[in-house]
Amino acid sequence: MSDAQTNSFIAFLPEGILLLGILALFGVTLGTNRVGAARHVSVATAIALALACAATFKAEAVLFDGAYRVDAFSQWLKLVFALGYLGCVVIGNHLKDIRADIRPEYFFLLATSVMGFVLLAGSVDLITLVVALELSSFPLFLLIAMRREAKGRRSQMESAIKYMMFGIAASGIMLFGMGYLYGLTGTTSLPLLVERLQPVMHTPLAITGVILTMAAFFYKLAVFPFHFWTPDVYQGASNETTAIIASLPKVAAVLLLLRFAGAATPEAQTLAVMLAILAIGSMFFGNLLALAQTDFKRLLGFSAIAHAGYTLLGLVALEEAGFTASLYYVTGYLFMILACFTVITRVSRDGANLPISALAGLHKRSPLLAATLLAGVFSLAGMPPFVGFMGKFSLLTAALQQGFLWLVLLAVLNTVIAVYYYLRVVHAAFFTEPSGDADTSPIHLDPAARVLCLLLIAVIIGLGTVPGLFLDTIADSLSSIFPPS
Amino acid sequence: MILLWLIAIPLIGGILAWTAERWSTTAPRWIALAATAVPLVLALTLWDGDPGDFWLAEFETSWIPAAGIDFYLAADGLGLLMVLLTFFLGVLSVGISWNTVPSRPGFFYFNLLLILAGTTGVFTALDLFLFFFCWELMVLPMYFIIGIWGHENRNYAAIKFFIFTQASGLLLLIAILGLHYAHAAETGVQTFRYGELLGTELAPGLGMGLMLGFFVAFAVKLPAFPFHTWLADAHTEAPTAGSLILAGLLLKTGGYGLVRFVVPLFPEESAAFAPVAMALGAIGILYGAKLAFAQTDLKRLIAYTSVSHMGFVLVGVFAWNAWAVQGVVVQMIAHGLSTGALFILAGGIQDRLHTRDLNAMGGFWPQAPCMAALALFFAMASLGLPGLGNFVGEFLILLGSFQVNVVATVLAALGLVGATVYSLWIIQRVFHGEPRESKGLTDLSLREITILGVLAAGLLGLGLYPKPVLHMSEPTVRALHETAPPPGAALATGQPENPVAHAVPPNERVPTDP
């Protein structure tokens, strides 16, 4: 191992660059209202971060006394976070619905949160993991509350409190569970912990510990019954903030679930069944309630719960093909959801929430946005040639391979239910003309948004039609955390 | 390589047409015409190949090796016939929508071409995953065509169409995965390849379940009773070109799937299920005819005739002897031409009168003699007049099924009476009766006459000289029968059954027996 170790300075390059970016952003916030500068620094940081991750893709190192590991798995996820960050910054463009005087701080806090996510990818010790998780969460609480106050509503405060209360409660449960795990294994180092956990995985104590620990990750992923915050926060937070909350934490949650799921072998039926029940609950709850929504963001909130359920299908299998599928799916989900939010932020001129009916005539107002929406929504619905189809396919394959036929059938039933509300969105954007005094003027996209739209469409189709490369990369990177036994 | 182009050209053409919309409203249709005509010509060049060579064209490349998925396209005689039908109707649908697309012509042709690309993929894919991929690819654009350019009740029809096909499609996906794992468990080879999956030994219960998964997916598309309820709405609300593609092509993918996949992959289960399937087919024939007769909406009437005609396909497939299967092939082509033509006529009438209500019609013959004469011709084709394509198909199917299931055959034959009634009903209600002057009803334009003339010539050719078509599909039918022997064949010929023979194309087989 030590031969292949990369110079630790090089290995830490992505984090270093992000840290520099955060410092620069802090500097920017000291001036008055320099939102343009903050945005440019953020974009530059995101691009530099992505490049650094790509450059250190093959790096391998163990840092900080084994608490932090750089390997293919962590670098792959950092790259995904970097791209997601870039997307979020471009989506956030004007921050229409954030109070004007604190817009630079918004970018600063966003970068801090991303730092937390990036650190999560490399954390292999319970302590660093908790610190990184909280670092990623706290700025998000603030970002929600930073929405401009509109007359007669303070829903952003309600949402922020909700998100925080649930988040802190979930963290508490997680720490409780981690306490059990520490008591069982006597270590906080994840690889060691997982290794010592495996022989005792059938004991009730170990199962309780793992499930309680996972609670915090379920909360991030919005798995039923940890989902209660989702629709309200989606609706109460500004459109840009919701885009962040809907995308990056989901990837982080799957990453963390994978770290712990490695402890359980396919023989650990109790854990599998429990995950399966959560998956079913999430899918039905999310999909059935999404049917009745009229607000696009709230609809996406419920759909996020359903998608959390699909993502768990891969974990239920408790073996590598399933883990690969989950990670692949959530990566694809990040881009689908960013595509949807690109459309939301551009169609909503003043940053207000967007009813589905406000999408009417989008195909005329901006064909590119309409196409982006099409790719995003149909990918969420699981239609080929978009990534959502290939993702669902690999999830179903993995679950079926482990003999969960009933689970697969229920998932398929849910996919069909979901089609209906996704079609409503498409119907609004493509089939209806704006009525009454609705805004019908064309939407002009800035060049950055234009490029973002095209890139998102390309990635959503590309990941969906030539998944071989990505699946191999993910599978390879997974083998670095699950050594072939 | 040609097969790849057959899919790529419509795809590229579709994207070009969509982008060309910004600069010109006429450019998209020219691009669409080229993107359908060129593949038609390319496909015709394959006709020269000797069908005895079995695979007339192949294209293969690895796609997702980790999951054992290949990008494997191949066309035998049956596949080529279906591809030719695809692009033949493709050219005509571009022609029929030439200047009748009210808005967004680029997006319209994009969707149209995407359907053609998906259909071609369905007819040529021999990797089951690729097949499913293309199968799903046809759904989206059709949803758009119905939903954007359809008639009054288009939204309802579009969503109904989408949900029916999506639900059945996912059933198909599970069945494909089940077959994949059953094969992997038996042989240890992870593959979705049709040729290798043939002859997989399945536990009785599992085999029946998987067969039903495939069957339901194809029966919805066909559509067979009792899965036909989406069809009338979709056909009625779709614009003319959409109805043409729906009736002519999308229904055929169901029939094709039954012939290519259901019976060969699950010979024993299909044999056990055959009486039920044939009964469903016979019910569909009679029930479709009865429903057609009861309609007052012209397009709805024609839509229900499809249910009736496709019932013959179901009866023929599950009769599964050479006569019946050959009849199915002819019936599918003939139905595509004749019903497509009837939809073009109905669409033409609606464009002129802005109604499809039969009560508002009648006595149009003097005013539109060309239209009336052509309508009479296609109505005759639809009722199975000897000399036209449908007769050959239905006759062969009945001939074949009589040897297998007399009751179903008798019932199916009764459907021909029903066909006569509803076909003549169309003519009587629209063109006969007291002559009445109707504003705006002009006779067919030269463009429409040309398109309908080509369809009429096709039907006439198919009816008088079906031999080229039968010759083309004959090797496929023979190969399919080697995989899944027709009822009574093993006894009749005394040859041992060889369920895996088809795993290797016949031309690569070691010539052991003379």
Side-chain angles (χ1 to χ4, degrees), chain B residues 253-265:
Chain B
T253 59
Y256 172 85
L258 290 173
V259 173
R260 174 78 78 194
F261 296 107
V262 173
V263 184
L265 284 173

Side-chain angles (χ1 to χ4, degrees), chain A residues 234-444:
Chain A
Y234 271 50
Q235 201 176 15
S238 72
N239 295 337
E240 301 84 4
T241 315
T242 314
I244 300 162
I245 291 174
S247 53
L248 295 176
K250 311 287 177 199
V251 182
V254 171
L255 140 80
L256 291 170
L257 285 171
L258 290 184
R259 289 268 191 218
F260 284 90
T265 47
E267 289 77 43
Q269 279 301 312
T270 323
L271 190 62
V273 169
M274 208 155 325
L275 288 171
I277 291 170
L278 293 181
I280 293 168
S282 303
M283 289 189 289
F284 274 103
F285 185 88
N287 280 327
L288 291 178
L289 284 174
L291 288 175
Q293 304 306 319
T294 53
D295 183 287
F296 192 19
K297 272 200 303 174
R298 209 173 163 81
L299 183 140
L300 286 177
F302 282 108
S303 120
I305 300 173
H307 281 277
Y310 299 137
T311 314
L312 284 189
L313 287 182
L315 289 169
V316 167
L318 288 178
E319 47 82 50
E320 204 173 309
F323 297 154
T324 310
S326 279
L327 204 51
Y328 172 64
Y329 191 72
V330 83
T331 310
Y333 181 73
L334 174 89
F335 294 109
M336 307 173 206
I337 211 75
L338 287 181
C340 291
F341 275 99
T342 310
V343 175
I344 292 180
T345 49
R346 291 308 183 276
V347 174
S348 166
R349 286 194 191 277
D350 52 358
N353 285 354
L354 195 71
I356 295 175
S357 54
L359 290 169
L362 184 64
H363 63 87
K364 271 193 195 141
R365 297 177 67 194
S366 169
L368 183 57
L369 277 186
T372 313
L373 183 74
L374 187 80
V377 168
F378 274 125
S379 187
L380 287 171
M383 299 296 296
F386 306 114
V387 60
F389 166 73
M390 201 56 92
K392 281 215 179 72
F393 171 77
S394 33
L395 287 172
L396 295 180
T397 314
L400 203 59
Q401 198 160 22
Q402 294 300 317
F404 286 97
L405 178 63
W406 52 279
L407 186 59
V408 168
L409 286 174
L410 287 176
V412 163
L413 177 66
N414 266 286
T415 311
V416 178
I417 298 174
V419 161
Y420 181 75
Y421 60 83
Y422 291 125
L423 285 188
R424 278 179 50 217
V425 176
V426 174
H427 176 257
F430 277 85
F431 297 2
T432 54
E433 299 303 326
S435 57
D437 54 351
D439 192 354
T440 55
S441 55
I443 299 169
H444 292 291

